[in-house]
Amino acid sequence: MLPPPGTAFTSADLQGGAQLTYYGGDIAEIALATVLAAQWYTATDRARRRARRRSTTVRRPQTEDASA
């Protein structure tokens, strides 16, 4: 692999940069997937707890207002 003309990069520098970009992209994707999964889990857990709270809440029957 030849370096671009007019640059001071060696072939080893270019290959090292390419590997860093390749594997660094994998790390970035894993981090993004982890953040998205954590947000999804938090949102669904919050909804699940809210639904559970609503189903266990004792509701008093509505009475008609006697003064009307």
Side-chain angles (χ1 to χ4, degrees), residues 26-42:
D26 289 347
I27 293 169
E29 284 186 50
I30 290 169
L32 179 62
T34 302
V35 168
L36 290 175
Q39 288 178 346
W40 172 80
Y41 178 77
T42 302

Side-chain angles (χ1 to χ4, degrees), residues 7-21:
T7 62
F9 299 115
T10 65
S11 294
D13 289 338
L14 294 175
Q15 190 165 2
Q19 284 182 341
L20 179 66
T21 303

Side-chain angles (χ1 to χ4, degrees), residues 2 5-6 12 14 17 21 24-25 27 34 39 41 43 47 49 51-52 55 57 59-60 62-67:
L2 294 173
L14 294 175
T21 303
I27 293 169
T34 302
Q39 288 178 346
Y41 178 77
R49 281 187 281 155
R52 196 173 338 152
S55 68
T57 302
R59 297 179 187 256
R60 287 193 250 162
Q62 292 182 344
T63 58
E64 292 183 25
D65 189 11
S67 63

